């Protein structure tokens, strides 16, 4: 990777700039950053290589805007002979401690605030917060160690946002009065074999860069997650579908967590407990972006019986989704191994060493270049339906509004464009009697 360029953006209006630096990981990018991307790409600011591109929008004392821009070339990992996919551990790579310490001790870091330390000093501070094994999901992801984290931290220096922030820190140290106001990353070129990245798709930076980015931006007012303060998100409430002595069934809207999490985001379980005056325990979960039917246990019997029913596959689920694109055929089966991206915990990938995942699907309707489908998951992996829809080994047609796997990417991460994936039907045994209960909730979207 070459050093980031600082390019002026004459004529770009500094309008609607946020008061705090927008989160690079959550929320659609600000319009001025998208306008900067268009200007930089039109003037040939980036080498024509497959990989990530990124810009860091900065403002000088006069209010004029310019941008640091950099690229991170992508190299497809080696595939075992005869396989369409690489092994998950080949994507991560390792750097033994002794090699990392010699290398990192020679790499100086300067934050935007002017604070300095070596990469080794930073790593030691971060390592104190981490266990010897760093869980990252199923299959090969469970085996990530500090040797993988060493490699990821070295690799973080080449990612667009980190490289641009380091370049900004050097410019400020040289006397340039520049303030960071926004950032943007996107994919350019062909899709990796194992991940879903469309040409032009807006991406969040890899999660392995997050601690370093936050340190580099120390002293800069930073918006960690805009969804926590969004009035649309704050107004969301689950709908009670059925209440029995042992369980509660609700319809969760897109935008609510299933259970309490971090960042101050609202969750359906806490809200449902307040609505019913009952202590609840989650039996299963839906992604924050996914709407649909959720079960919570009210008693120990409800919890044990319902969890046993899920574990023993005595529960059936049907999801409905709108896909971007026309799907060939009327029905089928999708099957390939899934694991968490070892360098990016927000994403799931198709890779050898992952856990088996199986989905049955059937077409419901097609209109205006989109397809309405039903998904019948036979396994329950994280983001399974989203990845099965979007990946070429699946349907090759992402779910509309998906900020991780659709063509728009992070541009779709707004309350106005919710994920068009809905848990529409759930069939399960009553924990008290064993009788079959069938719940249905119509999808909140139409083709």
């Amino acid at each position: 990777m070459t050093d980031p360029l600082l390019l002026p953006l004459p004529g770009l209006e500094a309008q609607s700039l946020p008061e705090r630096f927008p989160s690079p990981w959550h929320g659609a990018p600000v319009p001025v950053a998208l306008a900067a991307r268009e200007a930089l790409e039109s003037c040939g600011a980036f080498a024509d290589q497959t990989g990530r591109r990124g810009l860091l929008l900065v403002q000088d004392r006069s209010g004029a805007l310019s941008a640091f821009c950099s690229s991170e070339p992508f190299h497809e990992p080696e595939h075992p002979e005869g396989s369409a996919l690489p092994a998950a551990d080949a994507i991560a790579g390792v750097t033994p401690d002794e090699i990392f310490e010699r290398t990192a001790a020679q790499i100086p870091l300067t934050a935007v605030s002017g604070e300095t330390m070596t990469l080794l000093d930073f790593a030691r501070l971060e390592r104190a917060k981490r266990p010897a094994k760093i869980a990252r999901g199923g299959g090969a992801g469970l085996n990530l160690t500090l040797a993988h984290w060493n490699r990821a931290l070295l690799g973080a220096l080449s990612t667009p946002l980190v490289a641009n922030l380091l370049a900004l820190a050097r410019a400020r140290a040289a006397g340039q009065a520049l303030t960071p106001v926004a950032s943007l990353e996107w994919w350019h070129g062909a899709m990796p074999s194992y991940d879903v990245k469309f040409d032009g798709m807006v991406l969040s930076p890899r999660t392995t860069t997050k601690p370093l980015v936050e340190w580099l931006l120390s002293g800069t007012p930073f918006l960690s997650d805009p969804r926590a303060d969004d009035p649309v998100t704050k107004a969301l409430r689950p709908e009670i579908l059925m209440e029995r002595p042992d369980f509660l069934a609700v319809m969760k809207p897109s935008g609510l967590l299933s259970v309490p999490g971090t960042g101050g985001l609202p969750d359906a379980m806490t809200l449902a407990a307040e609505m019913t005056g009952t202590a609840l325990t989650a039996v299963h979960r839906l992604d924050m972006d996914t709407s649909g039917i959720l079960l919570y246990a009210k008693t120990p019997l409800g919890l044990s019986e319902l969890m046993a029913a899920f574990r023993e596959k005595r529960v059936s689920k049907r999801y409905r989704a709108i896909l971007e694109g026309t799907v060939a055929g009327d029905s089928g089966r999708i099957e390939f191994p899934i694991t968490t991206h070892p360098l990016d915990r927000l994403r799931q990938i198709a890779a050898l060493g992952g856990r088996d995942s199986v989905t049955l699907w059937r077409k419901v309707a097609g209109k205006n270049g989109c397809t309405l489908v039903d998904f019948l998951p036979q396994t329950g992996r994280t983001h399974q339906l989203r990845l099965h829809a979007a990946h070429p080994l699946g349907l090759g047609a992402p779910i509309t509004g998906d900020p991780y796997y659709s063509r728009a990417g992070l541009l779709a991460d707004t309350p106005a464009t919710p994920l068009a994936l809905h848990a529409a039907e759930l069939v399960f045994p009553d924990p008290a009697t064993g009788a079959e209960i069938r719940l249905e909730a119509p999808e909140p979207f139409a083709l």
Side-chain angles (χ1 to χ4, degrees), residues 41 44-51 53 71 73 188-190 199:
E41 288 197 313
F46 301 94
D48 192 19
Q49 303 170 292
T50 293
R53 292 178 171 181
S71 302
H188 175 76
D199 186 35

Side-chain angles (χ1 to χ4, degrees), residues 89-444:
D89 57 5
I91 298 167
V94 296
T95 299
D97 281 351
E98 61 272 16
I99 296 175
F100 174 79
E101 290 182 3
R102 286 200 305 270
T103 304
Q106 304 301 315
I107 299 175
L109 300 176
T110 303
V112 172
S113 63
E115 183 182 355
T116 62
M117 69 170 71
T118 67
L119 183 64
L120 180 58
D121 292 333
F122 176 82
R124 285 172 173 166
L125 290 173
E126 285 297 309
R127 181 173 290 199
K129 307 172 187 176
R130 297 173 181 270
K133 279 198 170 185
I134 310 168
R136 288 287 188 269
L142 287 174
N143 299 320
L144 292 185
T145 65
L146 289 170
H148 292 97
W149 182 72
N150 291 341
R151 172 64 66 86
L153 189 53
L154 287 170
L157 301 174
S158 300
T159 61
L161 182 53
V162 172
N164 286 334
L165 286 170
L166 289 169
L168 170 60
R170 291 193 295 270
R172 286 169 64 104
Q176 292 182 265
L178 300 172
T179 301
V181 293
S183 65
L184 184 67
E185 284 194 16
W186 64 97
W187 186 259
H188 175 76
M191 185 182 296
S193 64
Y194 56 90
D195 199 359
V196 175
K197 291 189 173 80
F198 297 95
D199 186 35
M201 175 182 179
V202 177
L203 302 170
S204 58
R206 293 198 294 266
T207 52
T208 48
T209 69
K210 196 170 188 289
L212 187 53
V213 167
E214 290 175 343
W215 180 79
L216 290 170
L217 279 169
S218 58
T220 299
F222 188 93
L223 186 62
S224 60
D225 192 334
R227 299 172 298 186
D229 297 322
D230 190 281
V232 174
T233 301
K234 286 183 173 182
L236 294 173
R237 293 293 182 273
E239 175 190 350
I240 296 174
L241 299 177
M242 177 180 286
E243 185 171 8
R244 295 280 178 86
D246 294 309
F247 71 88
L248 180 73
V250 305
M251 204 294 286
K252 182 188 83 68
S254 175
L256 281 184
L257 293 170
S258 294
V259 296
T262 59
L265 296 171
D267 70 278
M269 188 171 80
T270 299
L271 292 169
E274 292 172 354
M275 292 165 66
T276 60
T278 306
L280 301 174
T281 305
V283 176
H284 65 123
R285 301 183 186 189
L286 296 174
D287 292 339
M288 179 177 176
D289 298 323
T290 304
S291 61
I293 303 170
L294 262 178
L295 294 181
Y296 297 110
K298 296 170 63 178
T299 64
L301 173 67
L303 181 62
S304 61
E305 290 296 320
L306 288 171
M307 292 193 76
F310 274 89
R311 186 172 58 251
E312 296 163 7
K313 300 187 184 301
R314 292 184 283 120
V315 176
S316 62
K317 295 173 279 188
R318 177 178 62 84
Y319 290 74
R320 183 155 286 187
I322 298 176
L323 308 186
E324 298 176 353
T326 301
V327 175
D330 293 322
S331 62
R333 174 187 174 98
I334 304 166
E335 182 173 5
F336 54 78
I338 288 178
T339 189
T340 304
H341 196 308
L343 300 176
D344 193 350
R345 293 186 68 183
L346 293 176
R347 305 178 66 83
Q348 302 294 309
I349 55 173
L352 301 180
R355 303 172 72 186
D356 291 338
S357 62
V358 180
T359 301
L360 306 180
W361 68 274
R362 60 190 180 219
K363 184 186 294 184
V364 177
K367 184 179 180 182
N368 298 328
C370 293
T371 308
L372 186 68
V373 300
D374 279 343
F375 286 124
L376 307 173
Q378 307 300 293
T379 54
R381 313 305 179 209
T382 302
H383 289 188
Q384 175 176 314
L385 301 182
R386 299 162 75 160
L387 193 60
H388 278 185
H391 196 280
L393 292 177
L395 297 179
I399 298 172
T400 300
D402 195 331
Y404 297 137
Y405 308 104
S406 72
R407 290 175 175 83
L410 211 58
L411 284 172
D413 196 11
T414 71
T417 54
L419 178 71
L421 176 63
H422 180 71
E425 185 176 358
L426 190 66
V427 182
F428 59 97
D430 187 314
T433 67
E436 180 180 281
I437 296 175
R438 182 182 299 271
L439 292 176
E440 294 186 72
E443 62 272 18

